[in-house]
Amino acid sequence: MKIYARAPVRVDFAGGSTDIGPISKKLGGYVINAAINHYVDGSLIKLPNKTVLEYHSDLPTSSGLGTSGVMNVVWLALTTRFKDKHELAEWAYAIENATKVVGGKQDQYAAVLGGINFLKFDNSHRVTIERIKLRNNVLRKLESRLFLDYTGPRMSSDINDSIVRNFMNKRKKTIDVFKEIIQNVKKMKTGLSKGDLDCFAGCLNKEWTLRKKLHPNVTTKKIEERIKFAMNNGASAAKVCGAGGGGSILFYAENKKELMRKFSNKLIPFKFDMEGLRVWKK
């Protein structure tokens, strides 16, 4: 018997790190992300004398797109009889949390659900998902203006750990920045829901400005140079995906195709994935 599973990674538009337990339990967590058509693929093949479990991704190492969380989703989808996708996302998060990885739940929920989602985390760290349904012409326009630039690997858990420690130590600056991040997420949701992509781009830039205030290692000289280059060549917004320090930069540019030709490094074009986790047998 052969079982196959495929789940998408995500790009986080705003609110990253507010989905980490200590933060969401005190301030509430608010995240907007989108599943994209880059995947973790897995298979479970049962033979008479052995079982072979495999999975892989088409993305580079430590891309900042939530690959490790998606791998747990795929592994669980292949090896368990889950009742629903929400349950599976929670199991996948529990595995990561048990290994002392400092992270939240947004990767797992994007993987199982697909689409563009507004995720809310209450003071018990429970999640409520609201699908952001864009008109088809707005969705295509947004998709046509976004691409990823891979800058190299990073260690997101280390950065998140430092940020959470500062938050738990009640550093006023960190707490105030997270409050601003939350307000910016809500503004982005309103703008997206209205199809206002100028508002979306402005909030994307605001998210990056605020994230850099959380820890000096969120950005690097290489990241700042690439963002400056893109902005000087037509991009109107940029932010690093995930915790920062490397990984992938998300760019928003109306001249996307022209701008991408000017880059000499590894770019990751993408489209949105609206389906989420798929499991099938052969």
Side-chain angles (χ1 to χ4, degrees):
M1 183 178 70
K2 299 179 181 179
I3 306 173
Y4 297 90
R6 162 176 276 195
V9 299
R10 58 94 186 106
V11 290
D12 54 311
F13 291 148
S17 298
T18 69
D19 60 323
I20 299 174
I23 298 168
S24 67
K25 288 176 181 178
K26 290 185 178 294
L27 298 180
Y30 301 84
V31 174
I32 298 175
N33 67 20
I36 62 174
N37 65 339
H38 289 273
Y39 303 93
V40 173
D41 288 282
S43 63
L44 180 69
I45 302 174
K46 294 183 178 180
L47 301 172
N49 58 346
K50 65 178 179 179
T51 299
V52 180
L53 175 65
E54 297 180 339
Y55 46 78
H56 67 275
S57 171
D58 62 350
L59 290 166
T61 303
S62 298
S63 60
L65 305 176
T67 307
S68 61
V70 183
M71 284 183 175
N72 286 331
V73 167
V74 169
W75 177 75
L76 284 168
L78 291 169
T79 59
T80 64
R81 295 182 178 180
F82 60 94
K83 294 181 180 178
D84 60 51
K85 289 183 174 182
H86 290 70
E87 177 186 44
L88 188 66
E90 290 290 338
W91 285 355
Y93 167 75
I95 289 173
E96 196 160 286
N97 192 48
T99 60
K100 306 301 181 183
V101 173
V102 181
K105 296 182 179 180
Q106 66 156 310
D107 302 349
Q108 296 83 357
Y109 274 93
V112 299
L113 297 173
I116 303 173
N117 294 295
F118 174 59
L119 295 86
K120 296 189 290 184
F121 301 86
D122 65 18
N123 57 13
S124 297
H125 204 40
R126 290 172 299 196
V127 62
T128 302
I129 299 100
E130 180 180 340
R131 191 78 150 204
I132 298 179
K133 297 179 180 179
L134 304 179
R135 298 189 306 273
N136 191 57
N137 65 318
V138 176
L139 183 68
R140 299 282 80 85
K141 187 180 290 185
L142 177 62
E143 192 174 66
S144 74
R145 295 178 180 181
L146 295 171
F147 70 94
L148 293 161
D149 167 28
Y150 178 65
T151 69
R154 85 287 175 268
M155 291 299 293
S156 63
S157 184
D158 294 344
I159 296 173
N160 276 333
D161 183 59
S162 296
I163 291 172
V164 170
R165 285 178 185 274
N166 287 342
F167 183 87
M168 296 300 291
N169 289 333
K170 298 182 179 180
R171 293 195 179 182
K172 186 177 185 302
K173 177 183 175 182
T174 300
I175 294 170
D176 288 346
V177 170
F178 272 119
K179 289 179 178 179
E180 286 190 74
I181 285 173
I182 288 169
Q183 292 306 310
N184 187 58
V185 176
K186 294 176 180 179
K187 181 178 178 180
M188 179 184 281
K189 177 183 178 291
T190 299
L192 271 177
S193 299
K194 293 179 179 179
D196 185 347
L197 296 186
D198 288 337
C199 175
F200 169 81
C203 290
L204 201 67
N205 279 329
K206 181 69 171 178
E207 168 78 10
W208 179 234
T209 298
L210 291 170
R211 285 208 65 81
K212 289 190 288 185
K213 294 180 180 180
L214 290 173
H215 196 278
N217 290 342
V218 166
T219 192
T220 66
K221 183 179 179 181
K222 179 191 287 188
I223 289 171
E224 292 303 315
E225 287 175 348
R226 291 194 185 184
I227 290 177
K228 183 178 179 180
F229 173 82
M231 294 297 195
N232 288 340
N233 285 277
S236 52
K239 72 169 288 289
V240 172
C241 290
S248 302
I249 306 171
L250 176 67
F251 285 111
Y252 177 94
E254 293 187 30
N255 66 332
K256 170 182 167 179
K257 291 182 178 179
E258 177 186 340
L259 176 56
M260 288 179 71
R261 286 194 291 268
K262 294 181 179 181
F263 276 84
S264 59
N265 39 284
K266 185 174 179 62
L267 300 181
I268 306 174
F270 66 85
K271 293 184 178 181
F272 297 125
D273 176 284
M274 295 299 174
E275 188 173 9
L277 173 68
R278 290 180 57 223
V279 182
W280 69 99
K281 296 180 181 180
K282 284 188 178 180

